[in-house]
Amino acid sequence: MMHESGSISINTENIFPIIKKWLYSEKDIFVRELVSNSSDAISKLKKLSAIGEADLDGDDNWQIKVVINKEDKTMQIIDNGIGMTFEEVGKYINQIAFSGAKDFLEKYKDKTDEGQIIGHFGLGFYSSFMVSDKVQIDTLSYKKDEKAVRWVSTGGIDYEIGESDRTSRGTTVTLFLAEDSLEFLESYKVREILEKYFSFLPYEVYFDSIEEPSEEAKEADKDKEEKELKPINDTSPLWLKNPKDCTDEEYKEFYRKVFHDFNEPLFWIHLNMDYPFNLKGILYFPKLKHEFETMEGQIKLYYNQVFVADNIKEVIPEFLMLLKGVLDCPDLPLNVSRSFLQNDGYVNKISTHINKKVADKLTSIYENDRENYNKYWDDINPFVKYGCIREGKFYDRVKDIVIYKTTNGDYVSQKEYLERNKEKHENKIFYVSDERQQAQYIKLFKDNAMEAVILSTMIDNHFISFLESKQTEVKFLRIDSDLSESLKEKEENVDENASKELQESFERLFKDALGNDKLKLKVESLKAASVPGMILLDEHSRRMQEMSARFGGFDMSHMFGNEETLVLNKNNDLIKKVINIKDKDERKDEVKLICEHIYDLAMMSHKQLSADAMTKFIERSNMLLTRLVETN
């Protein structure tokens, strides 16, 4: 009769405290490790059978079962995989330095795809001691005439090996849960963990919970058949299928199932690559409810259909984190915990490939379905812009398919915008950051058959600066930063002295009225006669203002000269009347009110007034209306 007891051979001193407190960042990781080991055990046996090294006698109904027993305070993970002999238990369990997979690969390296095999038992098995006072293994090897083996360890150091009463091929790991881990006896929690990690495991996973029934329940169940368990997983996820065999409805249903998002995705990319590395998956472009949602993407990474983690930045380009999707990378080099990826050249190749496939998909839609591309743009533009800023190669691939919505309501590429506006302003792109706030400027543009592009998302300030660094010949100007010559009347036979005198008199008038000696003012002849005045702020100065606001509100105006310029329109009737009465002493107070009001109206089209300025504006408006009624 075989029997053995002793202490486990450990190469690292105090390894169990390390496992328990540091190696596994999430306590439920032990479930993933043990069920993954069961899956590996089945995969090994399948491969041996395929190359004629194992006779299954028709028993190939592969399955894994997880059973919790509240009364016994146990959790069992049961499989019908390869099993182990007495010697293998001693080697693979007691000697942590051996992973099991090393010898397996060495023996069968010429007969099987070694990239698909990971350690049967290694440090992952010892994660069970995170939650258990005692762990028991009952296993029966696939090999003929081998006896079942039982291995028991309390605390993970001392062990005993003897015979087991197990009669079927495979392995059962029984965890006698510690008092601080009894939450793993709750059905809802264990089911949640299994669905998290194994929703797409290639072998059926069943979950059962055994609870001590009441006497009434025992009587009621006497005539009932044993409950039928259903697998918790889909063994053939959509990403494993050939893209040409998948329907749009299947893609949408998979999206709803995995991400619990009942808004239909805009479109998707099905990755299906076998060479030079194995990579499969589906990336979805979600429809956004609002701009802030762009940071809520989720890319789920799988390893041979076992969930590893969300948003692993070593594999997935950072800007793709804004999307939703699944990636299965069975060739990825995983470390002992299966949680963190080795950031090596191979992983970088995968990242580069994903980057290229996304750019290719966007280019294909732009070239072959421009109408829908335009419709998608409001949702996908933050993603594309962020990708351009973060990934140089992505920018190189998509720079010509970046488009902009215009104030006319259509969508144009940069090339298209510059081409159709070159006669009005060459190599300048005017843009709007707030359509409501800048409505007066937009109207001014439209009235003069001009257009601006709309750049109103949080990322656009960064994107504009990024583009200008890449293409120095093109400048972006906010619609209130400069007056295009196309907006001005062409004046014939201008008296320069008279114009200078008018400019100086208006400067004195408005500086005195506003009590602002630093006011910048210009007098122009605008085509839009209805506009008495408007505010301009140099693009560079405005960007410096915004930068200072982002960095704690530090006032840098003295460094960059960021004062606004008031532009008065001498073609406007109100300005003409001010010209006529500005030197009359009896109307001095009236002129002061009008100057203040013209300035505030111009400022209101440029930015929000301060609370104090708005209060004064309302009081002044009431005063002016009262005077108007009194004069009539």
Side-chain angles (χ1 to χ4, degrees), residues 15 24 54 67 73 163 197 246 414 423 429 500 573 627:
I15 195 167
Y24 293 95
V67 181
K73 297 181 182 178
E163 289 192 11
Y197 290 113
C246 303
Q414 178 175 299
E423 293 182 4
I429 300 177
K500 183 178 180 181
D573 288 341
R627 289 191 181 186

Side-chain angles (χ1 to χ4, degrees), residues 6 21 42 58 87 96 164 225 275 352 379 381 497 499 535:
K21 296 181 180 179
I42 293 174
E87 290 76 15
I96 291 182
S164 169
E225 295 182 4
Y275 181 83
T352 300
D379 286 286
N381 81 82
N497 289 329
S499 294
I535 297 292

Side-chain angles (χ1 to χ4, degrees), residues 5 13 95 125 137 167 223 231 249 274 281 376 411 420 570:
S5 62
E13 189 176 356
Q95 301 178 49
F125 165 68
I137 300 173
T167 57
D223 298 327
E249 188 50 46
D274 294 316
Y376 298 151
Y411 291 83
R420 70 191 200 185
K570 63 184 179 182

Side-chain angles (χ1 to χ4, degrees), residues 230-335:
K230 294 183 179 180
I232 58 100
N233 58 320
D234 174 5
T235 59
S236 300
L238 193 65
W239 73 72
L240 294 180
K241 296 183 180 179
N242 192 310
K244 66 182 178 60
D245 296 329
C246 303
T247 66
D248 286 358
E249 188 50 46
E250 284 179 315
Y251 283 118
K252 293 173 185 176
E253 178 58 33
F254 186 76
Y255 178 77
R256 289 190 288 267
K257 176 182 176 181
V258 175
F259 300 104
H260 309 291
D261 185 349
F262 292 92
N263 293 303
E264 287 192 357
L266 298 172
F267 54 93
W268 47 85
I269 303 169
H270 194 144
L271 303 167
N272 188 18
M273 188 173 186
D274 294 316
Y275 181 83
F277 46 79
N278 196 335
L279 172 67
K280 300 184 188 302
I282 306 170
L283 295 177
Y284 289 93
F285 286 71
K287 186 169 180 59
L288 306 178
K289 298 185 188 72
H290 49 73
E291 181 189 350
F292 296 103
E293 206 176 32
T294 58
M295 299 310 295
E296 297 178 4
Q298 185 182 26
I299 306 290
K300 293 179 173 292
L301 182 67
Y302 290 80
Y303 180 83
N304 277 329
Q305 297 171 240
V306 177
F307 174 73
V308 176
D310 288 317
N311 299 345
I312 299 292
K313 60 180 174 49
E314 288 87 352
V315 178
I316 305 155
E318 184 182 3
F319 71 95
L320 288 181
M321 302 295 186
L322 307 183
L323 304 183
K324 293 183 178 180
V326 294
L327 293 176
D328 193 346
C329 306
D331 294 341
L332 278 177
L334 296 180
N335 73 0

Side-chain angles (χ1 to χ4, degrees), residues 376-606:
Y376 298 151
W377 187 249
D378 288 348
D379 286 286
I380 69 172
N381 81 82
F383 154 78
V384 175
K385 292 168 184 174
Y386 184 60
C388 287
I389 293 170
R390 296 297 300 177
E391 297 276 348
K393 289 183 179 178
F394 183 76
Y395 166 73
D396 291 338
R397 291 185 174 114
V398 303
K399 60 185 178 183
D400 294 331
I401 64 169
V402 172
I403 62 173
Y404 305 89
K405 187 177 182 179
T406 74
T407 48
N408 294 325
D410 61 349
Y411 291 83
V412 295
S413 67
Q414 178 175 299
K415 182 179 179 181
E416 291 166 341
Y417 176 89
L418 292 173
E419 179 62 30
R420 70 191 200 185
N421 291 280
K422 64 182 179 181
E423 293 182 4
K424 298 182 184 296
H425 42 79
E426 189 168 6
N427 285 340
K428 291 181 180 178
I429 300 177
F430 283 94
Y431 69 93
V432 175
S433 60
D434 187 325
E435 291 177 82
R436 185 171 64 177
Q437 186 73 52
Q438 294 149 20
Q440 176 183 317
Y441 300 88
I442 294 173
K443 183 178 186 302
L444 195 61
F445 264 52
K446 285 185 175 180
D447 289 346
N448 288 277
M450 295 170 63
E451 64 181 347
V453 300
I454 298 169
L455 294 171
S456 56
T457 65
M458 288 188 298
I459 198 172
D460 282 323
N461 279 340
H462 304 284
F463 188 60
I464 290 168
S465 298
F466 169 78
L467 287 179
E468 288 177 337
S469 71
K470 290 287 187 180
Q471 43 190 30
T472 55
E473 74 281 2
V474 176
K475 295 297 179 186
F476 283 81
L477 300 169
R478 202 167 80 173
I479 200 168
D480 57 356
S481 68
D482 189 21
L483 272 179
S484 169
E485 292 300 317
S486 300
L487 298 176
K488 301 176 186 177
E489 291 276 11
K490 290 185 179 179
E491 298 182 86
E492 302 289 340
N493 303 318
V494 178
D495 185 334
E496 295 293 339
N497 289 329
S499 294
K500 183 178 180 181
E501 185 180 332
L502 181 64
Q503 171 86 22
E504 291 174 349
S505 66
F506 263 120
E507 282 184 4
R508 288 193 304 271
L509 182 67
F510 272 81
K511 283 180 178 180
D512 290 343
L514 300 173
N516 181 0
D517 287 337
K518 295 182 178 180
L519 176 71
K520 289 184 177 181
L521 184 143
K522 290 175 66 176
V523 179
E524 298 280 5
S525 293
L526 302 182
K527 290 179 180 178
S530 62
V531 178
M534 59 193 298
I535 297 292
L536 298 181
L537 177 61
D538 173 72
E539 180 73 15
H540 177 72
S541 296
R542 185 185 56 74
R543 292 192 198 182
M544 292 303 104
Q545 270 190 0
E546 292 173 350
M547 184 185 297
S548 67
R550 285 198 298 271
F551 290 98
F554 177 65
D555 184 6
M556 297 191 289
S557 58
H558 63 288
M559 298 169 61
F560 302 107
N562 59 10
E563 300 90 348
E564 294 92 352
T565 298
L566 173 63
V567 177
L568 298 178
N569 180 13
K570 63 184 179 182
N571 283 342
N572 176 259
D573 288 341
L574 179 58
I575 298 299
K576 289 177 181 178
K577 289 181 179 179
V578 172
I579 292 173
N580 292 331
I581 66 173
K582 64 184 176 62
D583 297 322
K584 297 180 180 180
D585 289 341
E586 70 273 15
R587 305 192 71 172
K588 189 174 182 179
D589 290 342
E590 183 182 347
V591 170
K592 182 178 186 299
L593 286 176
I594 293 172
C595 289
E596 289 175 337
H597 222 58
I598 289 172
Y599 179 78
D600 279 355
L601 286 169
M603 286 297 293
M604 289 173 71
S605 295
H606 174 65

Side-chain angles (χ1 to χ4, degrees), residues 353-367:
H353 176 72
I354 296 171
N355 185 322
K356 180 179 182 301
K357 294 296 287 187
V358 171
D360 289 348
K361 177 69 174 184
L362 292 171
T363 302
S364 174
I365 299 174
Y366 177 86
E367 293 176 347

